[in-house]
Amino acid sequence: MRKRTLVSVLFLFSLLFLLPDQGRKLHANAEDSSDEVTDPPKVEEKIGGHGGLSTDSDVVHRESESMSKKTLRSSAEKFEFQAEVSRLMDIIINSLYSNKDIFLRELISNASDALDKIRFLALTDKDVLGEGDTAKLEIQIKLDKAKKILSIRDRGIGMTKEDLIKNLGTIAKSGTSAFVEKMQSSGDLNLIGQFGVGFYSAYLVADYIEVISKHNDDNQYVWESKADGKFAVSEDTWNEPLGRGTEIRLHLRDEAGEYLEESKLKDLVKRYSEFINFPISLWASKEIETEVPVEEDESNDEETETTSTEEEKEEDAEDEDGEKKQKTKKVKETVYEWELLNDVKAIWLRSPKEVTEEEYTKFYHSLSKDFTDEKPMAWSHFNAEGDVEFKAVLYVPPKAPHDLYESYYNSNKANLKLYVRRVFISDEFDELLPKYLSFLKGLVDSDTLPLNVSREMLQQHSSLKTIKKKLIRKALDMIRKLAKEDPDEIHDDDKKDVEKSGENDEKKGQYTKFWNEFGKSIKLGIIEDAGNRNRLAKLLRFETTKSDGKLTSLDQYIKRMKNGQKDVFYITGSSKEQLEKSPFLERLIKKGYEVIFFTDPVDEYLMQYLMDYEDKKFQNVSKEGLKVGKDSKAKELKEAFKELTKWWKGNLASENVDDVKISNRLADTPCVVVTSKFGWSANMERIMQSQTLSDANKQAYMRGKRVLEINPRHPIIKELKDRVASDPEDESVKETAQLMYQTALIESGFILNDPKDFAARIYNSVKSSLSISPDAVADEEVEAAEEPETTEATETKSDDLAGGLNIEAEPVEQQEENTKDEL
């Protein structure tokens, strides 16, 4: 939709460029006598107070007819737009902006620019500011719900009559050709502030606009238009003298009534213009309690209702002269006053050395709308210079959102706000930070960032890439610093010095807290961000066989590696408790090797991307290829058990076992099942089988080849070797070999394809141990003969019937005998 709109705009611009540039200024008389309005006299008094926006009630009455008709004043100097330009304005108003709320952002931004200009001029000439209220550099917003008018006023530089025509009629003036030329020559849509496009966003919510402006070098003028092809400019002799600056009055459409609510305007200012350099105030209402005297009638009524105790209190309340104090009551009253809306300062514009820790914390709570007392774990405040200049503040929140990893790849939610010249643009630019860092909160403010005309889209992807690269680098440095300053993260050799100093107690355990909240994001970053994989790997934390329940890093693991150890050993599973009992660790632990525990499901994916670190390869101890020292008898054992391994492999042909080998990883377990180096581990198979939309065909393709490794030193294996040597066709030996393989599958973490077969083999083994015949079966159940159904209810019913007929109920046999006698 956005692309089609842009193409349409470009097409119209092309048409306009071909049209001859002709003067459009028409000094017209009133077209219709109904449009004639007598120019009202100039106001002599101001109301409203505080030097803010004010309205004379008489002026409102005199202007009510004109405003209700929303017609241009007959005395004004009128200008007519070309039909093509009117169509262009219609596109800008109805298609260029996707969100009506941004009109207030645009008008406040224009007001801020006007204030910046007068402040700049005041650096060399202080007299341009004037005196009193005129010298106050501020922005004021006021509502008139009865007339549906929203007013925005600034005390900026103001506009002369010529400025009003050029600046606000830019799209409509003969300079349209310059607008088109600008686009055709450079294709740059960064035209904000040059052609007044942002001002026209006001027509998203208003059908008639008045702009009252006063420049130091000219009289006060009014610009007005309904965006229907005309606008008019006239000298202002009826409104309040502004002194200097501009007031914009929006006569809101019927469907834009929500912008007459104070709460809505407060939200918009907080969202888009919170960090504007100048104070923004709203003429807001509030209820207060005041004491007013009670009239005699009310006083008498109250006296009749009071108790004797209250009467005694009133007597005690007499003053020294013996006169009673006048009775009062509290009533609620609605009052209006200027309410400051942007009290939070833009701390990112200051030097990081000048900002205190309390200010950073306060700014975080304001930015993230986090109203708890918890401080952010860390923050980074920096300025970036180069091709794209920007300032940024990044925070690590104290806690992860509950839905951080829900719909991780489908969510466009971002916590990074984009500002251009302190004006909020959007928080939906997910290109500024990768998804794995989406938990960070903060903002980016740039004075040079290229946007489109509506400020809703970034234009140059090269700028985005530059910003993104620097933000990632700074974010990772911030997290690394968090770990570096945590005393728990310091190596054992340096701990004594830290303990003696007693410093950084507040930072103790901070990185462990970070890892528990956001560790999964770091793992996802290793998977997704190849360019920063090594930096992210330094931030990894895990438990090991030697970490005593504490988290350790890869750097600490490598520092503790044994001499001659070339690989980093790890094992994956569902829990640490399960992995500690794994048979794969037996020989490694006996020889003093350290093994990493990976218990998060994402770890299986992680280790497919993290192939090495600091020239050290990673080795899954549950897969083939494990090398643990050298065994002097390895060749002898392989030769001695050659017949058994060959026989066992043939016996497991139906189980898709690739090979049977002598193991170098077992100490106390007779056998285990390992997978091929590049196939799925047992843990990965279990994870994939639990997926809702898993494909069985793909699983069969990715499942690694299984290898049975046997422990030649175990007595069971030795006895099995002797039995096979004496009688390789012994069915009991084959049964035992099959049962041992299935048991090894379970112990190695695999899921059996046929649990029923495994259970049957277990029961047969139990029978053998109890000297029960293999052919013995369970006794069949003896079914009882069926008898006529006689219920207690039936007997009771028969007895009742007999009693009702005064007949004694007799047994069936007796009844039959009596019948025979009668016959």
Side-chain angles (χ1 to χ4, degrees):
M1 180 63 186
R2 217 178 270 278
K3 292 183 178 177
R4 291 200 299 270
T5 302
L6 185 58
V7 171
S8 301
V9 174
L10 293 174
F11 178 72
L12 289 174
F13 286 161
S14 302
L15 290 176
L16 291 171
F17 186 68
L18 298 175
L19 293 174
D21 187 17
Q22 57 183 355
R24 301 169 186 81
K25 179 178 176 183
L26 301 175
H27 183 65
N29 295 323
E31 297 177 358
D32 198 320
S33 59
S34 62
D35 290 341
E36 293 183 1
V37 179
T38 304
D39 292 340
K42 192 171 183 179
V43 167
E44 295 182 358
E45 294 182 357
K46 297 192 294 181
I47 64 172
H50 304 285
L53 300 176
S54 59
T55 306
D56 189 316
S57 58
D58 294 333
V59 173
V60 173
H61 177 72
R62 289 193 295 265
E63 289 295 305
S64 60
E65 182 180 358
S66 173
M67 290 183 180
S68 62
K69 292 182 179 180
K70 294 184 174 62
T71 56
L72 305 184
R73 293 178 179 82
S74 60
S75 61
E77 191 173 359
K78 298 181 181 178
F79 300 83
E80 189 171 296
F81 306 156
Q82 284 187 342
E84 290 81 1
V85 179
S86 297
R87 290 174 59 193
L88 177 59
M89 281 184 56
D90 184 65
I91 291 175
I92 292 173
I93 295 168
N94 297 310
S95 302
L96 191 60
Y97 294 94
S98 62
N99 182 7
K100 291 183 179 181
D101 289 348
I102 51 82
F103 83 91
L104 190 62
R105 176 194 72 186
E106 297 295 324
L107 296 181
I108 291 177
S109 298
N110 291 342
S112 176
D113 291 342
L115 291 166
D116 276 328
K117 290 176 182 177
I118 194 66
R119 185 171 62 178
F120 178 76
L121 293 176
L123 295 176
T124 55
D125 184 6
K126 294 183 179 180
D127 294 335
V128 298
L129 286 179
E131 299 178 352
D133 290 339
T134 307
K136 296 178 181 178
L137 301 181
E138 59 185 355
I139 300 171
Q140 296 176 325
I141 303 172
K142 197 169 186 179
L143 294 170
D144 187 340
K145 293 186 178 181
K147 296 290 188 297
K148 295 183 179 179
I149 297 175
L150 171 61
S151 301
I152 298 99
R153 174 176 176 176
D154 68 75
R155 301 183 189 276
I157 194 169
M159 288 179 279
T160 63
K161 176 183 178 182
E162 184 179 358
D163 292 335
L164 285 170
I165 297 171
K166 288 184 177 180
N167 294 344
L168 302 187
T170 299
I171 300 296
K173 74 182 186 70
S174 59
T176 301
S177 58
F179 185 94
V180 178
E181 286 176 2
K182 178 75 174 178
M183 288 187 56
Q184 290 183 337
S185 61
S186 64
D188 183 13
L189 295 179
N190 187 21
L191 307 175
I192 304 167
Q194 300 180 34
F195 293 92
V197 177
F199 166 77
Y200 283 96
S201 65
Y203 284 103
L204 293 169
V205 297
D207 51 11
Y208 174 60
I209 296 177
E210 293 178 281
V211 180
I212 307 161
S213 193
K214 173 67 172 72
H215 191 281
N216 287 338
D217 298 336
D218 204 348
N219 296 328
Q220 185 166 309
Y221 283 87
V222 176
W223 180 99
E224 53 184 331
S225 176
K226 296 191 294 181
D228 60 349
K230 298 177 184 178
F231 70 93
V233 178
S234 55
E235 186 172 353
D236 185 9
T237 57
W238 54 90
N239 287 305
E240 167 199 350
L242 299 180
R244 186 196 65 254
T246 300
E247 179 184 336
I248 301 176
R249 292 178 182 171
L250 308 181
H251 297 254
L252 299 177
R253 303 174 186 268
D254 292 337
E255 62 271 20
E258 60 180 313
Y259 300 105
L260 289 171
E261 300 297 329
E262 294 177 6
S263 58
K264 178 68 173 180
L265 296 179
K266 289 178 183 179
D267 289 341
L268 292 181
V269 172
K270 287 286 185 183
R271 176 173 173 80
Y272 291 107
S273 308
E274 186 175 16
F275 302 110
I276 291 292
N277 276 346
F278 304 98
I280 304 172
S281 301
L282 174 68
W283 187 244
S285 62
K286 71 174 185 178
E287 287 189 345
I288 60 172
E289 285 190 348
T290 58
E291 290 190 357
V292 297
V294 180
E295 297 181 2
E296 290 184 4
D297 295 341
E298 295 179 6
S299 177
N300 292 335
D301 293 340
E302 289 179 2
E303 285 179 0
T304 59
E305 296 175 0
T306 56
T307 62
S308 58
T309 306
E310 291 174 341
E311 290 176 357
E312 294 175 359
K313 290 182 179 178
E314 289 179 3
E315 292 176 0
D316 296 338
E318 293 182 358
D319 55 15
E320 296 176 356
D321 299 331
E323 296 180 358
K324 291 185 178 180
K325 293 182 179 179
Q326 187 175 11
K327 296 180 180 179
T328 60
K329 64 177 181 179
K330 291 184 178 181
V331 296
K332 290 185 177 180
E333 182 181 354
T334 301
V335 298
Y336 287 84
E337 62 182 17
W338 291 110
E339 180 180 341
L340 185 64
L341 301 182
N342 59 333
D343 56 343
V344 180
K345 302 301 180 183
I347 63 171
W348 68 86
L349 301 177
R350 296 157 55 187
S351 170
K353 297 179 181 178
E354 300 174 357
V355 185
T356 64
E357 183 175 321
E358 290 74 15
E359 288 177 313
Y360 278 122
T361 302
K362 180 181 177 182
F363 183 73
Y364 165 76
H365 288 149
S366 172
L367 186 71
S368 64
K369 303 298 183 284
D370 181 0
F371 302 107
T372 64
D373 295 331
E374 291 188 87
K375 293 168 55 178
M377 292 191 200
W379 55 80
S380 178
H381 178 190
F382 60 94
N383 300 336
E385 298 179 352
D387 297 337
V388 180
E389 297 183 359
F390 66 91
K391 300 176 177 65
V393 179
L394 300 176
Y395 288 95
V396 177
K399 287 184 178 179
H402 67 279
D403 59 345
L404 179 59
Y405 301 110
E406 294 179 9
S407 302
Y408 176 79
Y409 289 104
N410 298 325
S411 175
N412 292 324
K413 184 179 179 181
N415 292 315
L416 194 66
K417 299 179 184 295
L418 176 65
Y419 287 76
V420 173
R421 300 186 184 119
R422 297 169 304 285
V423 177
F424 175 70
I425 302 301
S426 177
D427 56 2
E428 297 179 358
F429 287 121
D430 54 350
E431 297 92 345
L432 291 179
L433 273 180
K435 285 188 179 294
Y436 70 88
L437 289 177
S438 61
F439 65 88
L440 296 177
K441 296 181 183 293
L443 62 82
V444 175
D445 185 10
S446 173
D447 291 343
T448 60
L449 197 63
L451 301 170
N452 71 347
V453 180
S454 66
R455 307 194 197 196
E456 292 181 317
M457 291 185 295
L458 291 174
Q459 291 297 307
Q460 296 181 9
H461 293 289
S462 59
S463 300
L464 277 180
K465 291 179 180 178
T466 303
I467 294 177
K468 184 176 183 178
K469 185 177 180 180
K470 291 182 179 179
L471 286 175
I472 293 174
R473 189 72 59 85
K474 288 292 185 179
L476 298 183
D477 287 345
M478 172 178 61
I479 298 172
R480 186 177 60 189
K481 184 180 178 183
L482 182 66
K484 186 178 180 181
E485 295 178 349
D486 187 349
D488 289 345
E489 289 286 314
I490 299 174
H491 296 301
D492 296 336
D493 297 340
D494 305 323
K495 277 188 177 180
K496 295 180 180 179
D497 298 334
V498 175
E499 290 174 356
K500 289 179 181 179
S501 64
E503 298 176 357
N504 298 328
D505 288 341
E506 186 179 348
K507 297 178 181 179
K508 186 178 179 65
Q510 279 293 92
Y511 193 76
T512 299
K513 180 182 177 183
F514 166 83
W515 183 258
N516 292 335
E517 295 289 337
F518 306 106
K520 188 175 292 185
S521 293
I522 301 300
K523 296 175 182 179
L524 290 169
I526 294 175
I527 296 172
E528 299 169 6
D529 191 353
N532 291 290
R533 189 162 290 156
N534 193 61
R535 292 187 182 88
L536 288 163
K538 287 184 177 294
L539 303 175
L540 273 179
R541 295 296 182 270
F542 38 77
E543 291 187 56
T544 72
T545 53
K546 293 184 177 182
S547 63
D548 296 327
K550 296 181 180 179
L551 295 178
T552 190
S553 65
L554 285 174
D555 289 330
Q556 291 171 329
Y557 178 95
I558 292 175
K559 188 175 181 180
R560 295 195 293 259
M561 285 175 63
K562 293 186 64 175
N563 292 333
Q565 182 180 346
K566 297 180 180 180
D567 297 334
V568 175
F569 298 130
Y570 72 93
I571 186 171
T572 60
S574 58
S575 69
K576 176 188 172 186
E577 291 73 22
Q578 174 215 351
L579 294 178
E580 286 176 330
K581 301 173 184 177
S582 173
F584 297 109
L585 303 182
E586 291 175 356
R587 193 161 180 230
L588 288 167
I589 292 176
K590 280 190 174 183
K591 286 186 170 290
Y593 289 98
E594 186 174 9
V595 182
I596 297 171
F597 294 135
F598 282 133
T599 57
D600 196 335
V602 75
D603 292 333
E604 285 285 356
Y605 302 93
L606 166 71
M607 299 313 295
Q608 294 177 24
Y609 291 87
L610 190 62
M611 307 301 294
D612 58 78
Y613 178 80
E614 300 293 342
D615 297 328
K616 302 291 184 182
K617 300 291 183 181
F618 287 90
Q619 173 64 51
N620 188 336
V621 299
S622 68
K623 291 187 176 184
E624 64 178 354
L626 179 67
K627 296 179 181 179
V628 186
K630 293 183 179 181
D631 190 345
S632 59
K633 297 183 179 181
K635 290 184 178 180
E636 297 178 11
L637 290 172
K638 184 177 180 181
E639 188 64 29
F641 284 83
K642 183 177 181 180
E643 185 179 356
L644 174 62
T645 55
K646 184 178 179 180
W647 173 86
W648 210 336
K649 180 180 178 181
N651 194 48
L652 298 176
S654 61
E655 299 290 344
N656 194 27
V657 175
D658 189 56
D659 202 358
V660 179
K661 297 180 178 179
I662 300 297
S663 177
N664 66 341
R665 71 186 83 210
L666 297 176
D668 304 318
T669 302
C671 56
V672 291
V673 178
V674 301
T675 54
S676 56
K677 190 170 185 179
F678 300 104
W680 284 347
S681 65
N683 186 52
M684 187 63 173
E685 281 191 26
R686 192 186 70 257
I687 292 172
M688 294 306 297
Q689 288 178 8
S690 64
Q691 299 295 323
T692 305
L693 303 177
S694 60
D695 188 338
N697 294 328
K698 289 184 178 179
Q699 288 184 18
Y701 175 75
M702 289 301 296
R703 186 180 290 119
K705 293 181 179 180
R706 296 173 181 176
V707 176
L708 177 65
E709 290 191 357
I710 61 176
N711 182 0
R713 297 174 179 83
H714 199 280
I716 294 178
I717 301 300
K718 291 180 179 180
E719 180 64 22
L720 197 61
K721 170 179 171 292
D722 296 338
R723 295 264 184 120
V724 170
S726 61
D727 186 3
E729 300 300 325
D730 188 344
E731 290 298 327
S732 63
V733 176
K734 290 182 180 181
E735 184 77 9
T736 302
Q738 188 72 19
L739 181 59
M740 288 185 65
Y741 169 70
Q742 292 178 328
T743 305
L745 275 176
I746 295 175
E747 192 174 18
S748 301
F750 292 94
I751 299 175
L752 294 178
N753 294 329
D754 189 358
K756 183 70 174 177
D757 179 66
F758 172 71
R761 296 181 189 277
I762 290 291
Y763 296 143
N764 289 336
S765 178
V766 172
K767 287 179 181 179
S768 177
S769 65
L770 297 176
S771 301
I772 299 174
S773 172
D775 300 327
V777 295
D779 295 336
E780 292 186 4
E781 181 181 355
V782 179
E783 297 183 0
E786 294 185 2
E787 297 179 357
E789 183 178 350
T790 303
T791 64
E792 183 179 351
T794 305
E795 295 173 356
T796 304
K797 186 174 181 181
S798 300
D799 294 342
D800 292 344
L801 181 61
L805 296 175
N806 199 19
I807 299 174
E808 185 179 354
E810 297 178 341
V812 176
E813 295 81 358
Q814 185 64 40
Q815 291 180 16
E816 291 178 352
E817 188 66 29
N818 293 340
T819 303
K820 291 179 182 179
D821 293 342
E822 292 176 1
L823 291 174

